[in-house]
């Protein structure tokens, strides 16, 4: 088995590799290769390619089983969809990795850990579908991310669960309504070093005003702890608005700040079965902005650079939606997705 087609380093892929690694992973690799020299920090990692996902399906002879489960779904009945989705995911979750593939993944994980001076480092395991960034198919948010994954057993489990997430009820129903073949879509998985935002802050940022479409601002949402809370909409974040033209001219151009309630935060769990947990935020911290002004400006500058880079690459204006995280240990800022 040639594992080179199944595993690649994150910093070796780019936007030309969407078919092999999916949209999100291609974008991460593109940034690692081209934006690091602009001072933008992106955590390193490696990718399990779409070819590995297809090999996993083939090795376990899952095609027929999954097709037959999906063909039995009555899409007018939510109960039938739930049952079918559960059965399809179960087929993948009970499947085994080809031995050489799992050994190669675990070896790669140990190599990554070593670069961070650890035996078993904490990683985020993110899925990236090949069709998620097609203009007519918004697959965003339909595949899973697993945070604070540590050690080979947890890692392989998370990868298998990522593979299974291509058959969430929502994704099955979505593909059905758009007439996509369930097997024409591939899944790739990125194993990326965790940023310790459980001890810091994290959030999302947009290179335009998402409500009005006004393109001269960067809108930043932020909260304490791991970013899933904001992505899932479980927490009311702080919001900061920065005026881009003045920022590019070197001014401190924060034009608005709104304090969010930030009542809860997601942090690392205490035992192996509980990778993350949700805890209340200290009252004092709730009434404070989660980011200082210089950090807001640094982040807005990065978002502008990312937007400029992709606009140039694609030859048309390319507004960006970015996930960021601030490491509570090193106090460094990172972009974890764009």
């Amino acid at each position: 088995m040639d594992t080179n087609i199944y595993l690649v380093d994150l910093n070796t892929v780019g936007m030309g590799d969407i078919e092999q690694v999916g949209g999100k992973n291609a974008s991460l690799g593109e940034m690692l290769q081209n934006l690091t020299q602009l001072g933008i920090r992106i955590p390193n990692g490696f990718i399990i390619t779409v070819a590995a996902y297809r090999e996993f399906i083939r090795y376990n002879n899952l095609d027929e089983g999954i097709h037959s489960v999906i063909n039995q779904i009555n899409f007018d009945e939510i109960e039938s969809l739930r049952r079918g989705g559960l059965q399809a995911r179960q087929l993948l979750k009970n499947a085994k990795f080809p031995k050489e593939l799992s050994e190669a993944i675990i070896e790669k994980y140990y190599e990554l850990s070593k670069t961070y001076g650890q035996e078993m480092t904490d990683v985020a395991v993110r899925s990236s579908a090949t069709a998620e960034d097609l203009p007519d198919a918004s697959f965003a948010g339909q595949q899973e991310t697993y945070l604070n994954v540590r050690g080979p057993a947890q890692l392989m489990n998370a990868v298998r669960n990522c593979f299974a997430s291509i058959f969430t009820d929502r994704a099955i129903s979505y593909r059905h309504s758009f007439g996509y073949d369930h097997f024409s879509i591939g899944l790739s998985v990125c194993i990326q070093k965790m940023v310790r935002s459980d001890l810091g802050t994290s959030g999302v940022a947009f290179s335009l005003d998402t409500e009005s479409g006004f393109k001269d601002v960067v809108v930043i949402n932020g909260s304490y702890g791991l970013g899933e809370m904001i992505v899932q909409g479980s927490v009311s974040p702080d919001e900061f608005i920065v005026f881009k033209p003045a920022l590019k001219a070197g001014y401190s151009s924060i034009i608005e700040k709104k304090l969010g309630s930030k009542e809860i935060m997601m942090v690392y769990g205490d035992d192996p079965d509980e990778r993350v947990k949700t805890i209340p935020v200290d009252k004092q911290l709730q009434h404070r902005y989660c980011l200082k002004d210089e950090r807001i400006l640094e982040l807005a500058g990065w978002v502008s650079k990312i937007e400029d880079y992709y606009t140039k690459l694609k030859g048309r204006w390319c507004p960006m939606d970015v996930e960021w995280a601030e490491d509570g240990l090193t106090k460094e800022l990172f972009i974890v997705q764009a």
Side-chain angles (χ1 to χ4, degrees), residues 21-281:
V21 301
K24 283 183 198 155
N25 291 345
S27 171
L28 272 173
E30 183 77 33
M31 290 196 303
L32 252 178
Q33 287 193 62
N34 299 288
L35 297 179
T36 317
Q37 56 257 42
L38 302 179
I40 297 174
R41 277 185 293 276
I42 295 140
N44 207 351
F46 65 94
I47 294 169
I48 298 169
T49 65
V50 172
Y53 163 76
R54 298 211 192 284
E55 174 57 23
F56 178 79
I57 296 281
R58 191 202 63 76
Y59 180 78
N60 291 282
N61 297 318
L62 293 176
D63 288 43
E64 276 175 41
I66 291 171
H67 269 306
S68 112
V69 164
I70 288 171
N71 290 339
Q72 283 166 23
I73 294 174
N74 173 355
F75 283 91
D76 297 328
E77 283 179 24
I78 193 86
E79 203 35 60
S80 174
L81 174 64
R82 278 201 187 125
R83 214 172 29 245
L86 186 66
Q87 284 175 315
R89 290 192 298 278
Q90 226 34 64
L91 283 171
L92 277 103
K93 287 181 180 181
N94 293 337
K96 289 184 165 49
F97 283 89
K99 187 163 175 289
E100 284 178 41
L101 180 59
S102 61
E103 284 172 358
I105 292 170
I106 291 165
E107 191 182 323
K108 205 91 175 118
Y109 165 70
Y110 281 133
E111 278 172 28
L112 179 69
S113 301
K114 208 178 276 174
T115 63
Y116 288 97
Q118 290 170 298
E119 190 192 345
M120 294 193 285
T121 197
D122 45 339
V123 290
V125 179
R126 305 169 180 279
S127 5
S128 171
T130 50
E132 74 197 328
D133 291 325
L134 295 180
D136 60 339
S138 166
F139 283 87
Q142 287 188 12
Q143 276 83 37
E144 300 289 331
T145 294
Y146 297 91
L147 303 174
N148 186 24
V149 174
R150 233 177 245 271
Q154 274 193 15
L155 175 65
M156 297 315 289
N157 211 18
V159 172
R160 195 184 280 108
N161 287 340
C162 280
F163 284 172
S165 75
I166 204 164
F167 294 104
T168 59
D169 304 353
R170 216 176 119 208
I172 293 172
S173 151
Y174 188 93
R175 287 193 294 267
H176 174 77
S177 58
F178 281 93
Y180 276 107
D181 170 21
H182 295 280
F183 284 100
S184 68
I185 287 158
L187 195 89
S188 158
V189 178
C190 179
I191 287 101
Q192 191 181 24
K193 173 72 176 121
M194 278 291 288
V195 176
R196 291 301 303 266
S197 59
D198 59 306
L199 305 171
T201 56
S202 61
V204 290
F206 305 94
S207 65
L208 81 173
D209 179 359
T210 49
E211 281 166 28
S212 67
F214 180 57
K215 54 163 78 171
D216 277 345
V217 289
V218 172
V219 178
I220 298 169
N221 291 329
S223 188
Y224 300 110
L226 299 168
E228 288 305 282
M229 297 271 91
I230 291 186
V231 176
Q232 291 164 4
S234 318
V235 69
S236 153
D238 292 341
E239 182 170 273
F240 311 102
I241 299 179
V242 179
F243 188 55
K244 273 195 284 202
L247 177 74
K248 287 179 178 176
Y251 296 102
S252 169
S253 57
I254 301 167
I255 49 178
E256 194 178 328
K257 288 181 174 186
K258 280 190 206 138
L259 194 65
S261 52
K262 312 184 290 291
E263 292 110 342
I264 52 172
M265 64 193 280
M266 188 185 270
V267 296
Y268 282 12
D270 301 321
D271 61 67
D273 295 332
E274 179 190 50
R275 293 190 318 271
V276 291
K277 62 178 181 180
T278 305
I279 59 168
V281 172

